[in-house]
Amino acid sequence: MHEKYFLMFSKDTYIRRRAELKRLVGNGVVVLFGNNEAPCNYPANGYAPMRQDSAFLYYFGQHREGLVGVIDIDNDEEMLLGDDIDIEDIVWMGFVPSVSDLAAEVGVTKTAPLKALRQVCCSTTATNSGGKTRTVHFLPPYRHDTKIMIMDLLGIHPSKQKEAASLPLIKAVVKMRSTKEPQEIEAIERACAVGYEMHTTAQRLIRPGVTERYIGGQVDGIARSKAQGVSFATIFSQHGEIMHGSPSDAPLEAGRLALCDAGCELDDYCSDHTRTMPVSGRFTQKQLEIYSIVEECHDYVLQVAKPGVKYADVHFAVCRLMTERLKELGLMRGDTDEAVAAGAHAMFLPHGLGHMMGMDVHDMEGLGQIYVGFDEETRPNLEQFGTNCLRMGRRLQEGFVVTDEPGIYFIPHLIDLWRKEGHCKDFLNFDLLEQYKDFGGIRIEDDLLITADGCRFLGSERIPYHPQDLQN
């Protein structure tokens, strides 16, 4: 068997998951589309390695491209559809098991060529013996080839497919994937171990004169050599105030801060960590003052995050702590609760405290953040700057994996805009903020497992982040 077609968990795992999915969705037919190869600049030059759709992988386990899983709930039948690889492909890509063999590995007995999917969908949308039209459940597609396939099969235009996606299926998948099984947690721990190597390598390489691109490339190389690759495009920049700053050709400058946000995918699960380092090997007093606030906020989450607590409440507890400490430096002022309610803290922290993590680095975000990070009880605030970027707000449960990633950023254009508009002027010291426009940004991030009575960081080795461990 070609090495990329490994099965992550036991056959019973996938059988059990599909059975639970049937129970949660209730009726109709579930169609889960696997991914195809993605061409880079012509069909034979694809982005590698092929990344399987996470939902398909969760229920059908196979990494091969061009597969579709069908679960007929009403008739209690399951089918794997796909075309067998011919000798021409074997010559170039190596041996690939037949679709029937792949199906048997995950406990599915029925298979068919991909062209049979049209008949499956046509027979599904026809009325059943009770005279009712059966529902075809599909998840919101994010790849254009899948959108075209859905349009051909069901006649739904790509612009309408997100709203036509099955809400019962979305909620069932979110319910199941939010709570991680012990074997999933073990996989994330392994990914965190590679993440440790990625970040400690970056920390060893950071010094004046080395380019951002070189260090970013070394970090990516570890993910490619010891895992399936990066879990997202590596962020490495001296401009830490830019949330998604890509590595540039700029050499690291003495006196600056370098922010590294990186993770890997290993055994189909992700890691996601961030560290911020002084390029010169020692923090300036100003840098240390801000860094120590982020460090305290990061560690404070361990005290307050536990089952039954809303992660939005943890976020705002961190925001209040951050506001108190920034007031001590003179950057903020006024009543802390009023400042946070007004969103003044978002000058420094314009994003949420964290997000779900698992098979996707922003786990299941493609299914709709309103269903993943929120629920009927906890709704997002889409009106207030900063608060509108919370990805995770609902009550925590044992087995959830979320990121803990507070930060403080000094964004020159945001400072200028808020000063011009007088926004939150009662809570912000704009005169002092002028002195921080060239500061950059600081973020510290780790992956957090919610346990029965609290929480803990994932990964057996902690990537250094306390100031005494970062300075030489």
Side-chain angles (χ1 to χ4, degrees):
M1 179 184 293
H2 193 286
E3 62 179 2
K4 75 175 181 176
Y5 296 110
F6 67 91
L7 198 63
M8 183 59 206
F9 300 126
S10 69
K11 177 192 298 187
D12 290 341
T13 294
Y14 302 103
I15 293 172
R16 171 176 49 79
R17 287 174 176 176
R18 293 193 299 270
E20 178 65 6
L21 186 66
K22 293 177 197 174
R23 186 187 71 80
L24 291 172
V25 176
N27 58 67
V29 175
V30 172
V31 180
L32 295 173
F33 295 89
N35 283 336
N36 298 309
E37 296 280 4
C40 177
N41 48 10
Y42 55 89
N45 184 20
Y47 288 101
M50 197 280 290
R51 175 55 160 88
Q52 185 59 281
D53 175 77
S54 296
F56 178 89
L57 202 54
Y58 188 81
Y59 294 103
F60 284 91
Q62 297 293 359
H63 291 78
R64 211 209 83 175
E65 71 282 355
L67 300 175
V68 178
V70 174
I71 303 173
D72 186 335
I73 301 172
D74 301 325
N75 296 309
D76 195 22
E77 292 182 345
E78 300 168 353
M79 180 184 297
L80 186 65
L81 295 95
D83 298 327
D84 287 334
I85 303 301
D86 60 23
I87 191 62
E88 294 289 337
D89 287 320
I90 291 174
V91 167
W92 290 101
M93 303 301 294
F95 172 72
V96 178
S98 67
V99 174
S100 61
D101 286 342
L102 293 173
E105 287 181 353
V106 293
V108 175
T109 58
K110 295 186 67 174
T111 63
L114 196 56
K115 65 181 181 182
L117 184 59
R118 180 178 298 277
Q119 180 59 37
V120 171
C121 288
C122 288
S123 64
T124 296
T125 54
T127 58
N128 60 19
S129 57
K132 295 182 179 180
T133 301
R134 298 208 296 156
T135 302
V136 178
H137 302 276
F138 63 88
L139 295 171
Y142 54 91
R143 289 198 174 187
H144 291 90
D145 51 350
T146 304
K147 293 180 180 182
I148 292 171
M149 187 179 296
I150 292 173
M151 183 169 65
D152 288 345
L153 293 169
L154 302 175
I156 305 172
H157 191 274
S159 65
K160 304 293 184 183
Q161 290 173 10
K162 183 176 180 180
E163 59 192 54
S166 167
L167 188 54
L169 179 58
I170 290 172
K171 289 186 173 181
V173 172
V174 169
K175 179 178 177 61
M176 292 183 66
R177 285 179 57 190
S178 291
T179 303
K180 304 299 185 287
E181 304 166 0
Q183 58 189 350
E184 294 180 282
I185 295 168
E186 292 172 4
I188 297 173
E189 297 264 26
R190 291 193 292 273
C192 287
V194 176
Y196 174 88
E197 292 193 47
M198 295 166 70
H199 281 271
T200 53
T201 296
Q203 290 176 338
R204 288 194 299 272
L205 292 173
I206 290 173
R207 62 182 182 275
V210 181
T211 66
E212 296 176 358
R213 193 180 306 281
Y214 177 80
I215 297 178
Q218 296 300 304
V219 168
D220 287 356
I222 293 172
R224 290 296 300 270
S225 61
K226 297 197 173 184
Q228 292 158 270
V230 295
S231 51
F232 58 97
T234 294
I235 298 165
F236 186 89
S237 177
Q238 297 171 97
H239 286 281
E241 78 279 7
I242 301 173
M243 300 301 121
H244 290 168
S246 298
S248 72
D249 288 321
L252 299 184
E253 300 175 14
R256 299 288 296 274
L257 296 169
L259 185 151
C260 181
D261 187 344
C264 79
E265 283 192 8
L266 177 63
D267 298 336
D268 303 329
Y269 287 82
C270 297
S271 67
D272 183 6
H273 301 92
T274 306
R275 294 295 186 264
T276 308
M277 294 278 295
V279 172
S280 298
R282 295 199 69 81
F283 292 106
T284 66
Q285 183 59 33
K286 181 188 285 189
Q287 290 170 345
L288 185 59
E289 289 170 348
I290 299 299
Y291 189 95
S292 297
I293 297 174
V294 179
E295 175 194 20
E296 184 179 2
C297 291
H298 168 273
D299 292 353
Y300 180 57
V301 175
L302 287 173
Q303 302 177 35
V304 293
K306 60 183 178 181
V309 173
K310 292 181 181 179
Y311 210 50
D313 291 341
V314 180
H315 168 84
F316 287 112
V318 165
C319 293
R320 287 190 292 272
L321 173 60
M322 182 179 294
T323 299
E324 285 289 330
R325 297 296 179 260
L326 289 170
K327 284 166 59 178
E328 293 171 1
L329 295 180
L331 287 162
M332 295 189 73
R333 59 191 173 212
D335 182 82
T336 295
D337 289 338
E338 291 178 5
V340 171
H345 64 282
M347 165 63 76
F348 309 96
L349 179 61
H351 60 74
L353 179 63
H355 50 79
M356 286 278 207
M357 199 193 73
M359 299 181 79
D360 309 320
V361 68
H362 287 185
D363 211 25
M364 302 174 284
E365 191 168 294
L367 303 184
Q369 205 60 44
I370 191 70
Y371 308 115
V372 178
F374 299 89
D375 54 21
E376 288 76 9
E377 178 193 18
T378 308
R379 310 304 290 171
N381 178 349
L382 301 178
E383 304 301 321
Q384 188 180 72
F385 177 82
T387 307
N388 62 346
C389 291
L390 266 65
R391 289 189 170 99
M392 177 64 185
R394 67 187 177 114
R395 291 189 188 277
L396 300 168
Q397 298 178 31
E398 182 180 359
F400 279 16
V401 174
V402 295
T403 60
D404 165 21
E405 49 181 308
I408 293 179
Y409 315 90
F410 294 90
I411 307 169
H413 290 88
L414 185 62
I415 294 171
D416 290 343
L417 177 63
W418 281 25
R419 182 166 199 162
K420 178 181 178 181
E421 295 177 344
H423 184 62
C424 291
K425 58 184 175 60
D426 294 335
F427 306 110
L428 297 168
N429 185 342
F430 285 106
D431 289 339
L432 186 55
L433 275 168
E434 289 290 326
Q435 301 177 26
Y436 284 79
K437 279 187 173 179
D438 62 349
F439 185 95
I442 294 170
R443 182 166 63 253
I444 306 173
E445 176 184 14
D446 281 298
D447 305 325
L448 198 70
L449 171 67
I450 305 303
T451 61
D453 55 1
C455 61
R456 69 172 178 88
F457 289 134
L458 289 166
S460 59
E461 295 184 277
R462 190 68 43 240
I463 303 164
Y465 70 93
H466 296 302
Q468 64 269 25
D469 299 326
L470 299 179
Q471 301 187 105
N472 54 36

